[in-house]
């Protein structure tokens, strides 16, 4: 009796001990899983937050670059010869306004481009289809008009509501006579603010990450909550909606007041927690607008929560099965612990992979940011150099050779005639005068090429590069390009502005090589490649060839080239289509090994001059025609060779 009682008692103690052990084990497992889930949630949120901060910064720089490009076009219009002469009416100004309107529309959609005189009366108003034109309308009541006139500087306006009820922003540039500083009028554009910022992010749906923009007075200029457009963030109505959230308000004030560039804030004003990252849109170091990316944190956690819920359900099912047998339960808990550790390790590896991908994306953003800044610096230098040369030449003509050239009176015209007669009699001064004109012409062509390269790049990236094909002989086209280059070099040499002419060797095919292509674009591509070879040739001969071959022979030719310069997708082409292969070979310094892998990408250059867009444009011209392009350093270590192919006309 006593032994049985002790056995039962011991059994109960053992059962209670096992139950307590199981309960302790359950508690430990639950605690361990909660820690793992929280660590994963925290890590993913941190990665998302850092990524969103970088995206916001890149977005603000993209907006700033587009606004500066529009402002540069407006500045160029205000500096045009017609407007500088006070010619604010007429067809010539209208045509010029139309051209600039189309250029700006290639950057962003605008409602209209206008010219106003010094009485604030609109003289020209080019508008989009469906918009109303406001010619001969007094716009003195518009704030940005008065600001432009009072500051005599370009203006990036605050948001305002147009006559059509659309919320807009305006960019203006004053027309100031460069000779006497007289205010002539202004040019400007009105941009629908919501449509403008919609190009950079979601401005319509608050259930996912969305973009909100403000002007300098903290007024909304784009937001999914359209009833707030035009209202101040700190107005009573808006603050009541956000329940006067202190965290939110402090973050916005820090960004608006310049105390914080970037950063983040997490807050909940009653409709769910939000992650907010903001950055000013700066032009010339001054904040013109502010952009904020706002993400509901629920959307950040939704995917991971789904995965964690599935894993949690499995865990509960395992626990329920374990309770059926104590022994099996203990063994199974050991195994489960191993499984959980495995899952944690796998999750950790997945997280590390995600972090690696994010780091790569961040590095790419930094590379793009650096490339964009380098391009802006290069473009500024490329614009400044010919502009200063043109300005200096014209000033020299005015001061030294024909002082009366800018006189408009009858006496001035008589003086010009006399000065020209004296100039014609002095051979040395006449030669210097001709040199100045040639220099001005050459620098104007350089400016035109830079603008065309930028516009072509915009067309390429927007898939708007158009071709106007015709049939022509590639032999003749190459000869025409060589002749054009020789003519330009001869003109430069005539005025003491070039070294010895480069010898360009080309032996045309015996029979015509007929292609169907855009003759102007192929001329442009050939000129770019040949001039590029000349620039790096060290005054050594350039050799050009054009050969007919089967398309399936290209792979064997490319297989002898470096891997970096090959287009591997095209090596698989086994068709027997006939093509012409053009090669341009120089004996110069060759292609830098760092540049070679990205030779045909944007801004790929180590040259002291040029924007790095030329080969990128050439590549797209050739590939749009269905051809291929590649390059290699010559095997003898002297110079490089560029190749491209075009289909022959059947």
């Amino acid at each position: 009796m006593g032994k049985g009682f002790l056995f039962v008692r011991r059994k109960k103690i053992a059962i209670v001990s096992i139950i307590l052990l199981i309960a302790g084990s359950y508690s430990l497992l639950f605690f361990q899983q909660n820690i793992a889930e929280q660590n994963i949630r925290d890590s993913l949120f941190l990665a998302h937050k850092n990524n969103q901060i970088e995206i916001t910064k890149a977005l603000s720089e993209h907006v700033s670059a587009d606004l500066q490009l529009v402002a540069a076009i407006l500045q160029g219009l205000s500096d045009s010869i017609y407007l500088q002469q006070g010619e604010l009416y007429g067809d010539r100004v209208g045509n010029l306004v139309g051209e600039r309107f189309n250029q700006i529309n290639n950057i962003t959609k605008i409602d209209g481009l206008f010219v106003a005189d010094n009485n604030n009366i609109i003289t020209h108003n080019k508008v989009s289809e469906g918009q109303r034109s406001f010619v001969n309308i007094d716009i003195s009541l518009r704030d940005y008009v008065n600001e432009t006139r009072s500051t005599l500087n370009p203006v990036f306006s605050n948001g305002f509501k147009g006559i059509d009820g659309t919320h807009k922003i305006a960019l203006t540039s004053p027309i100031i006579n460069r000779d006497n500083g007289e205010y002539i009028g202004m040019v400007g554009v009105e941009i629908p603010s919501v449509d403008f910022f919609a190009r950079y992010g979601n401005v319509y749906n608050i259930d996912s990450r969305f973009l909100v923009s403000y002007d300098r007075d903290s007024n909304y200029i784009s937001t999914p909550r359209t009833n707030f457009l035009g209202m101040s963030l700190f107005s009573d109505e808006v603050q009541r909606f956000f329940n006067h959230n202190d965290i939110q308000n402090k973050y916005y004030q820090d960004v608006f007041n310049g105390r914080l560039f970037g950063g983040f804030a997490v807050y909940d004003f009653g409709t769910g927690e939000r992650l907010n990252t903001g950055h000013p849109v700066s032009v010339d170091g001054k904040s013109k607008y502010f952009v904020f990316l706002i993400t509901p944190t629920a959307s950040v956690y939704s995917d991971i929560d789904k995965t964690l819920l599935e894993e949690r359900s499995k865990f509960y099912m395992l626990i329920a099965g374990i309770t059926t047998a104590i022994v099996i339960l203990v063994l199974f808990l050991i195994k489960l612990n191993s499984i959980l550790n495995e899952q944690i390790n796998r999750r950790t590896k997945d997280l590390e992979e995600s972090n690696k991908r994010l780091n790569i994306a961040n590095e790419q953003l930094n590379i793009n940011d650096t490339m964009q800044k380098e391009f802006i610096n290069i473009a500024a230098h490329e614009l400044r150099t010919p502009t200063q040369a043109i300005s200096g030449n014209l000033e020299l003509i005015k001061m030294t050779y024909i002082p009366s050239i800018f006189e408009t009176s009858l006496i001035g015209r008589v003086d010009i005639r006399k000065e020209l007669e004296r100039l014609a009699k002095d051979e040395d001064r006449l030669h210097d005068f001709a040199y100045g004109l040639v220099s001005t012409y050459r620098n104007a062509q350089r400016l035109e090429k830079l603008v065309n390269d930028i516009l072509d790049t915009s067309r390429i990236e927007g898939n708007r590069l158009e071709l106007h094909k015709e049939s022509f002989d590639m032999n003749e086209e190459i000869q025409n390009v060589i002749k054009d280059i020789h003519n330009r070099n001869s003109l430069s040499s005539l005025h003491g502005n070039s070294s010895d002419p480069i010898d360009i060797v080309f032996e045309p095919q015996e029979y015509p090589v007929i292609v169907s292509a855009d003759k102007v674009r192929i001329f442009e591509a050939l000129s770019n490649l040949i001039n590029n070879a000349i620039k790096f040739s060290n005054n050594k001969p350039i050799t050009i060839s054009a050969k007919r071959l089967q398309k399936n022979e290209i792979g064997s030719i490319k297989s002898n080239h470096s891997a970096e310069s090959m287009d591997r997708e095209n090596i698989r082409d086994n068709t027997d289509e006939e093509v012409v292969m053009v090669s341009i070979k120089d004996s110069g310094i060759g292609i830098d090994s760092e540049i070679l892998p990205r030779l045909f990408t944007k801004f790929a250059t180590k040259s002291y001059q040029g924007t790095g867009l030329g080969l990128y444009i050439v590549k797209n011209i050739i590939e749009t025609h269905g051809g291929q392009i590649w390059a290699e350093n010559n095997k003898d270590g002297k110079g490089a060779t560029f190749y491209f192919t075009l289909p022959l006309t059947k």
Side-chain angles (χ1 to χ4, degrees):
M1 179 72 178
K3 290 182 179 180
F5 175 76
L6 289 174
F7 175 77
V8 172
R9 184 175 178 83
R10 288 175 180 173
K11 186 176 180 181
K12 288 181 178 180
I13 293 173
I15 292 174
V16 171
S17 299
I18 292 174
I19 291 174
L20 291 175
L21 179 62
I22 293 173
S25 300
Y26 282 6
S27 300
L28 180 61
L29 288 173
F30 282 126
F31 177 75
Q32 194 174 25
Q33 181 167 340
N34 287 335
I35 291 176
E37 291 180 3
Q38 189 59 46
N39 288 339
I40 292 173
R41 288 167 62 90
D42 292 345
S43 297
L44 285 177
F45 182 81
L46 178 62
H48 180 90
K49 179 199 71 177
N50 292 335
N51 186 45
Q52 184 168 314
I53 289 173
E54 292 300 321
I55 290 174
T56 306
K57 179 182 177 183
L59 186 151
S60 72
E61 292 173 349
H62 190 179
V63 174
S64 174
D66 285 350
L67 290 175
Q68 289 184 76
L69 187 53
V70 174
I73 294 174
L74 292 178
Q75 181 67 47
L77 179 59
S78 65
D79 288 341
S80 65
I81 186 170
Y82 301 142
L83 299 187
Q84 283 291 309
Q85 292 176 350
E87 185 179 339
L88 305 184
Y89 299 84
D91 292 339
R92 295 195 300 183
V93 176
N95 292 335
L96 186 60
V97 169
E99 292 173 0
R100 298 301 180 266
F101 176 87
N102 292 333
Q103 287 181 4
I104 296 175
N105 254 335
N106 287 333
I107 302 169
T108 183
K109 178 183 177 296
I110 60 174
D111 282 347
L113 169 60
F114 67 87
V115 180
D117 62 19
N118 58 2
N119 293 319
N120 301 330
I121 304 299
I122 294 179
T123 61
H124 278 282
N125 189 198
K126 175 67 175 178
V127 297
S128 300
E129 184 176 354
Q131 297 289 328
R132 177 185 172 190
S133 178
F134 295 96
V135 177
N136 296 326
I137 298 298
D138 189 341
I139 56 175
S140 299
L141 296 179
R142 299 182 185 177
D143 291 340
Y144 64 81
V145 173
N146 297 320
E147 184 180 354
T148 305
R149 185 159 190 163
S150 64
T151 63
L152 297 181
N153 285 316
V155 169
F156 296 78
S157 81
N158 283 332
F160 62 92
K161 193 172 184 179
I163 297 176
D164 58 357
T166 302
H167 289 269
K168 306 177 182 181
I169 57 174
L171 274 65
T172 63
S173 179
I175 307 171
I176 302 173
N177 189 288
R178 289 191 298 270
D179 295 328
N180 56 28
E182 177 187 359
Y183 175 78
I184 300 174
M186 72 179 69
V187 296
V189 293
E190 291 188 351
I191 305 173
S193 58
V194 175
D195 291 344
F196 176 74
F197 286 98
R199 299 171 64 249
Y200 308 99
N202 166 34
V203 297
Y204 302 109
N205 181 12
I206 64 173
D207 294 326
S208 59
R209 184 170 70 190
F210 60 92
L211 172 65
V212 177
S213 310
Y214 302 87
D215 62 20
R216 295 187 300 276
D217 290 340
S218 308
N219 297 321
Y220 284 93
I221 53 179
S222 75
T223 174
R225 300 182 176 93
T226 55
N227 56 309
F228 288 167
L229 286 172
M231 299 174 63
S232 171
L233 171 66
F234 303 107
S235 64
D236 289 339
E237 181 178 343
V238 176
Q239 285 297 304
R240 282 196 301 272
F241 178 83
F242 291 123
N243 292 321
H244 297 274
N245 189 284
D246 292 335
I247 298 175
Q248 179 189 31
N249 288 338
K250 183 179 184 306
Y251 178 66
Y252 276 111
Q253 288 170 348
D254 286 344
V255 176
F256 289 153
N257 295 331
R259 291 192 295 268
L260 186 63
F261 284 84
F264 73 99
V266 179
Y267 51 82
D268 185 353
F269 54 82
T271 60
E273 191 178 66
R274 300 281 196 255
L275 168 64
N276 191 342
T277 57
H279 205 279
V281 177
S282 299
V283 177
D284 295 331
K286 296 181 180 179
S287 298
K288 303 299 182 181
Y289 305 103
F290 301 87
V291 292
F292 294 83
L293 282 180
I294 302 172
T295 305
T297 56
S299 66
V300 179
Y301 293 129
S302 60
D303 291 338
I304 186 61
D305 284 344
K306 181 179 178 181
T307 302
L308 292 176
L309 179 61
E310 292 175 356
E311 295 299 324
R312 197 180 297 119
S313 298
K314 294 177 182 178
F315 178 73
Y316 291 153
M317 292 176 63
L318 289 173
I319 294 299
I322 292 172
T323 57
T324 58
I326 296 176
V327 177
I328 297 176
L329 176 62
V330 173
L331 296 175
F332 190 75
L333 284 174
I334 296 172
K335 184 178 180 180
L336 179 61
N337 187 53
S338 175
I339 292 173
L340 285 175
N341 285 332
E342 238 177 69
Q343 291 177 344
I344 291 171
N345 291 333
R346 188 167 60 252
R347 292 278 183 263
T348 302
K349 288 182 180 178
D350 291 344
L351 184 58
E352 289 174 352
E353 289 298 320
S354 297
N355 286 334
K356 287 181 182 178
R357 289 194 293 270
L358 286 171
N359 288 333
I360 292 172
N362 288 334
E363 288 176 4
Q364 188 61 45
L365 281 173
N366 290 332
I367 292 171
N368 290 339
D369 178 56
T370 301
M371 290 174 63
Q372 185 182 44
K373 290 178 180 177
E374 289 177 354
F375 171 70
I376 291 173
N377 291 333
I378 291 171
H381 173 75
E382 289 296 307
L383 285 169
R384 188 183 302 111
T385 301
T387 302
Q388 289 175 342
I390 291 171
S391 178
N393 288 332
L394 293 178
E395 186 69 23
L396 185 64
I397 290 172
K398 176 184 176 183
M399 294 176 62
T400 305
Y401 301 108
I402 313 176
S404 303
I405 194 168
F406 294 105
E407 295 288 341
T408 58
S409 64
L410 179 61
I411 296 175
R413 291 196 295 271
V414 173
D415 290 341
I416 292 174
R417 189 180 305 112
K418 293 178 180 179
E419 290 165 357
L420 286 172
E421 292 173 354
R422 287 197 297 271
L423 181 63
K425 295 176 181 178
D426 189 332
E427 185 174 343
D428 290 337
R429 292 180 69 241
L430 182 61
H431 180 273
D432 292 342
F433 175 74
Y435 168 77
L437 291 180
V438 171
S439 175
T440 301
Y441 171 72
R442 187 173 59 253
N443 281 284
Q445 285 185 316
R446 183 175 172 184
L447 273 176
E448 181 183 16
K449 184 179 185 307
L450 175 60
V451 172
N452 286 338
D453 283 352
I454 294 173
L455 291 176
D456 281 345
T457 301
S458 175
R459 294 188 186 103
I460 289 168
E461 294 185 342
N463 294 319
R464 291 179 283 102
L465 186 65
E466 296 182 356
L467 300 180
H468 303 283
K469 292 186 177 182
E470 58 182 295
S471 295
F472 59 89
D473 185 357
M474 181 58 76
N475 288 325
E476 293 181 1
E477 184 78 347
I478 295 173
Q479 290 172 327
N480 289 336
V481 173
I482 295 173
K483 182 178 179 181
D484 179 71
I485 291 174
H486 281 318
N487 288 340
R488 290 173 184 265
N489 290 339
S490 296
L491 183 61
S492 296
S493 299
L494 181 63
H495 296 279
N497 204 25
S498 176
S499 57
D500 295 336
I502 300 296
D503 187 15
I504 302 176
V505 180
F506 172 62
E507 295 183 3
Q509 293 283 299
E510 181 179 356
Y511 300 103
V513 181
I514 306 301
V515 297
S516 178
D518 189 318
K519 197 171 185 179
V520 174
R521 289 295 185 183
I522 298 302
F523 190 99
E524 177 185 349
L526 283 167
S527 295
N528 199 310
L529 292 173
I530 296 174
N531 280 315
N532 194 64
I534 291 173
K535 183 166 68 171
F536 297 102
S537 67
N538 293 332
N539 292 325
K540 296 177 181 177
I542 306 296
T543 303
I544 303 174
S545 69
K547 300 179 180 179
R548 304 168 68 111
L549 69 157
Q550 300 296 320
K551 193 172 184 179
N552 55 16
E553 297 179 53
I554 299 176
S556 61
I557 295 174
K558 283 188 174 184
S559 63
N560 296 321
H561 299 162
S562 62
E564 292 86 353
S565 64
M566 293 169 57
D567 183 351
R568 295 192 175 278
E569 292 186 1
N570 290 323
I571 292 179
R572 297 192 299 266
D573 200 330
N574 294 318
T575 63
D576 57 358
E577 178 184 355
E578 195 171 15
V579 300
V580 57
M581 184 179 75
V582 179
S583 67
I584 298 97
K585 180 180 180 180
D586 66 72
S587 301
I589 61 176
I591 305 170
D592 190 284
S593 59
E594 182 181 341
I595 293 293
L596 188 58
R598 53 188 181 90
L599 182 63
F600 295 101
T601 61
K602 288 186 297 184
F603 318 136
T605 181
K606 278 196 169 182
S607 174
Y608 62 88
Q609 63 181 6
T611 59
L613 295 176
L615 292 179
Y616 171 74
I617 294 172
V618 170
K619 176 178 183 291
N620 281 275
I621 289 174
I622 297 302
E623 291 183 349
T624 304
H625 281 85
Q628 304 173 37
I629 184 168
W630 67 97
E632 65 167 344
N633 283 315
N634 297 330
K635 293 181 179 179
D636 60 5
K638 298 178 181 179
T641 304
F642 283 76
Y643 302 85
F644 71 85
T645 66
L646 289 175
L648 290 177
T649 302
K650 295 182 180 180

